[in-house]
Amino acid sequence: MGQYIVLDLEWNQSPLGKDGSMDRLPFEIIEIGAVKLNASLQIISEFRRLIRPRVYRQMHFKISEVTHMSMDELNMEGEEFGKAMEEFLAWCGDDYKFCTWGSMDLTELQRNMVYHGLDIPFRMPLLYYDLQKIYGLIRGDKQKDSLDPVVEELGIAEDRPFHRALDDAYYTGRIMAEMDFYSMVEYVSVDYYRPPETEEDEIYLEFPGYAKFVSRMYDTKERILEERRVTDMVCYKCRRTLRKKIRWFSSNQKFYFCLAYCPEHGYMKGKIRIKKSEDGSVFAVKTTKLIGEDGAALITKKKEEAKKKRADRNKAKRAFRNNSDKSVSEECGTL
């Protein structure tokens, strides 16, 4: 078994907010921190580099407030991003798995690499461990706690500050060692920065209790929903194609749900998230999960709520059109 690289990044953004943000690089990395763990989850090495900024030359006040970093420090001690990445990848070695606290770090790392014209050496799909998610699974809830309270909850000595890249990576590594990580080692996460480009590259993963499918990219959401590979419901236990009790529906155009039934294993919920790639294409992330009768009842209720919302929207549109027509008629009558 290889080693684990627990990664944490600090980044800056436009002090003007979205108005001054660059689309290709909304967050510019200013610090890379990581610790390397062996198979026994012991920290065996540390890595830290400050990055000299090229895009956002003024520190966002919130970033400065949280990290206590200054532009003077970055300009004096920071390296060029490309050099820092070269050193980081060399330090990582060849056989490792990334671990992070949350789902943003690897996406932003790759986005910064592309902006700086660097090749991305990570294999596709890029699978990693989101320790924030895994900690919630171990605890039995979906709450996503920040690092500080979890360190306190586990009684880990707070012998370093928080909110700097290396220190947060260190604490994340300590949490990983304290939690029952290997009982959840099957729960890998998928980084979506580079979605599948072809049907052959599409991703299918099975976990205890559910399955996940990531489609290739399409031009439109409508095109995705025409693909049977996306919309078919298949029982991940017996591979049977299932009859839908409730066809795919949505109340917000980003999440779609359906309900199917397996004669052998019971009710199965389907959920599709439509996600956008960097070039504006869209792709689907479908999860299928076996649920009981209570879960099936919740899907039925959600369907009725979506139907009512749609009816209310159509009613409001008709009322608006009628009022507009009436106003036009009254205006014409006064001429």
Side-chain angles (χ1 to χ4, degrees):
M1 185 179 295
Q3 299 170 330
Y4 298 98
I5 303 296
V6 181
L7 173 69
D8 190 84
L9 304 172
E10 301 295 341
W11 50 68
N12 190 26
Q13 61 194 86
S14 169
L16 302 177
K18 287 188 177 180
D19 290 340
S21 182
M22 178 183 290
D23 289 341
R24 291 192 299 136
L25 196 73
F27 305 111
E28 182 177 20
I29 294 171
I30 54 177
E31 187 176 29
I32 300 172
V35 295
K36 186 180 295 183
L37 277 63
N38 61 18
S40 300
L41 305 183
Q42 299 168 319
I43 296 176
I44 58 174
S45 183
E46 297 184 352
F47 181 93
R48 174 181 178 265
R49 292 293 186 277
L50 291 178
I51 310 298
R52 190 179 307 120
R54 284 177 47 181
V55 178
Y56 304 117
R57 303 298 182 96
Q58 182 180 343
M59 191 75 76
H60 190 285
F61 76 97
K62 278 291 185 183
I63 305 298
S64 179
E65 186 179 278
V66 170
T67 66
H68 304 292
M69 278 192 273
S70 68
M71 276 296 161
D72 288 342
E73 178 186 8
L74 295 175
N75 287 325
M76 290 178 61
E77 301 179 25
E79 294 183 355
E80 291 296 324
F81 180 80
K83 183 174 186 295
M85 276 304 303
E86 181 181 349
E87 294 168 346
F88 173 64
L89 293 172
W91 174 82
C92 287
D94 297 323
D95 187 13
Y96 62 88
K97 292 183 177 67
F98 277 123
C99 308
T100 62
W101 190 263
S103 60
M104 288 184 66
D105 289 88
L106 287 171
T107 292
E108 297 308 324
L109 183 68
Q110 292 172 93
R111 184 175 281 130
N112 275 252
M113 292 175 74
V114 169
Y115 176 82
H116 288 278
L118 305 179
D119 293 330
I120 298 177
F122 313 131
R123 67 180 61 182
M124 291 182 62
L126 177 51
L127 305 179
Y128 69 101
Y129 290 107
D130 180 349
L131 298 174
Q132 184 185 53
K133 181 182 79 173
I134 288 176
Y135 186 76
L137 288 172
I138 291 174
R139 197 169 52 185
D141 59 45
K142 293 185 178 180
Q143 185 172 328
K144 293 185 176 182
D145 287 323
S146 59
L147 208 56
D148 316 33
V150 176
V151 168
E152 182 178 357
E153 185 177 302
L154 292 176
I156 295 171
E158 298 181 24
D159 48 7
R160 297 190 183 201
F162 287 93
H163 309 303
R164 291 295 296 263
L166 176 56
D167 298 317
D168 283 0
Y170 166 81
Y171 282 123
T172 303
R174 292 290 309 278
I175 291 171
M176 186 175 175
E178 291 293 328
M179 70 166 76
D180 189 10
F181 170 73
Y182 280 117
S183 70
M184 295 288 176
V185 75
E186 294 172 281
Y187 287 94
V188 293
S189 293
V190 181
D191 180 81
Y192 299 125
Y193 180 75
R194 295 180 293 165
E197 295 184 358
T198 67
E199 184 176 335
E200 290 72 25
D201 295 331
E202 290 178 330
I203 304 164
Y204 182 79
L205 299 170
E206 289 187 15
F207 304 93
Y210 71 100
K212 176 179 288 189
F213 169 77
V214 184
S215 79
R216 69 174 181 87
M217 293 180 282
Y218 293 86
D219 292 335
T220 65
K221 173 187 65 181
E222 290 74 20
R223 182 71 184 85
I224 288 178
L225 297 175
E226 292 172 356
E227 285 289 348
R228 294 193 60 178
R229 293 193 318 285
V230 177
T231 58
D232 276 356
M233 289 290 288
V234 178
C235 178
Y236 53 87
K237 286 186 173 292
C238 64
R239 311 300 179 191
R240 188 194 311 249
T241 300
L242 306 181
R243 177 175 172 270
K244 297 182 184 72
K245 295 286 188 180
I246 297 177
R247 294 183 178 276
W248 292 102
F249 68 93
S250 176
S251 58
N252 60 13
Q253 304 304 305
K254 288 187 178 180
F255 293 89
Y256 293 80
F257 301 91
C258 83
L259 180 67
Y261 185 76
C262 175
E264 184 176 353
H265 297 104
Y267 288 107
M268 179 172 288
K269 178 181 76 172
K271 179 180 178 181
I272 292 174
R273 288 177 290 165
I274 304 295
K275 300 179 74 69
K276 186 175 289 188
S277 65
E278 291 292 296
D279 66 0
S281 302
V282 289
F283 61 99
V285 178
K286 179 176 73 173
T287 54
T288 51
K289 181 179 182 180
L290 287 169
I291 55 175
E293 291 191 4
D294 289 344
L298 287 175
I299 296 294
T300 302
K301 181 181 178 182
K302 192 185 290 287
K303 167 71 172 178
E304 293 302 316
E305 291 172 349
K307 184 178 179 181
K308 184 178 184 302
K309 285 181 182 178
R310 187 166 58 251
D312 290 344
R313 286 197 299 269
N314 291 335
K315 183 179 179 180
K317 288 178 182 177
R318 286 195 299 271
F320 177 79
R321 285 197 298 267
N322 291 338
N323 288 335
S324 297
D325 293 343
K326 182 179 179 182
S327 297
V328 171
S329 297
E330 290 174 351
E331 184 177 341
C332 291
T334 61
L335 295 177

